[in-house]
Amino acid sequence: MADFEISDRLLPCVYPAPALKLVCFALPDEAGPFCRRATGRADIRVLLTGVGPVNAERELRQALKSLPPKAVFTCGFAGGLNPEFPRGAVVYEADADWPITEALSRAGARPARFHASSRIVVLASEKRTLRETTGADAVEMESNIIRQICREAQI
């Protein structure tokens, strides 16, 4: 469990912080290490979306009403589908013209293709089938809807 108290869904790493970059995580355990490193960064806010696309959409739309960020990141754990990526690999998917992709690659992150699932995929047989049918490298639940909303909002 995270070692910080959660009073609401929108967690400032520093309060009050200008909302320049919004970093979304589904769960506190995913956000905890990032929040500890981002402490003191007035340009970052963390949003806990909850698990799944329905929760992510609701929480992000609510946050965007009062929080117009310059950039939104959706981060967290994903299920591995590509056997070439070792457990714990840092992977990302981004539009080709997104300026941070070069920095992510220099930091050791690897480009990957994600599959959006409506549920948590647990069984190895399900993951193999997803890999074979989609060609995706990882499976997760929230990023697709977050990306759609950001495109709508021109973020």
Side-chain angles (χ1 to χ4, degrees):
M1 194 59 160
D3 61 354
F4 53 91
E5 188 173 324
I6 299 172
S7 58
D8 64 15
R9 305 300 286 178
L10 192 59
L11 302 176
C13 290
V14 172
Y15 190 80
L20 302 176
K21 296 174 191 83
L22 181 63
V23 184
C24 302
F25 294 92
L27 298 169
D29 287 347
E30 293 174 316
F34 178 82
C35 279
R36 285 189 288 280
R37 291 199 56 135
T39 297
R41 293 283 309 263
D43 62 331
I44 295 175
R45 281 281 185 112
V46 171
L47 176 66
L48 295 177
T49 65
V51 174
V54 172
N55 291 324
E57 179 175 10
R58 181 188 62 245
E59 295 300 326
L60 180 59
R61 288 194 188 279
Q62 184 64 36
L64 292 180
K65 288 179 183 178
S66 62
L67 187 71
K70 289 184 179 180
V72 174
F73 298 82
T74 174
C75 305
F77 303 129
L81 301 179
N82 185 340
E84 293 180 22
F85 290 140
R87 171 180 248 146
V90 176
V91 295
Y92 68 90
E93 181 176 18
D95 294 341
D97 60 344
W98 203 52
I100 198 168
T101 57
E102 188 177 313
L104 287 168
S105 292
R106 280 194 316 267
R110 295 172 62 180
R113 202 165 135 234
F114 287 80
H115 173 74
S117 177
S118 60
R119 64 180 184 80
I120 297 171
V121 179
V122 181
L123 299 176
S125 60
E126 290 178 296
K127 290 181 179 184
R128 267 191 307 280
T129 300
L130 273 179
R131 174 72 177 158
E132 291 167 3
T133 59
T134 68
D137 300 302
V139 59
E140 55 82 53
M141 300 172 63
E142 298 81 24
S143 295
N144 190 47
I145 190 66
I146 290 171
R147 195 176 207 177
Q148 287 177 20
I149 292 167
C150 289
R151 284 183 175 148
E152 288 172 17
Q154 298 182 337
I155 299 172

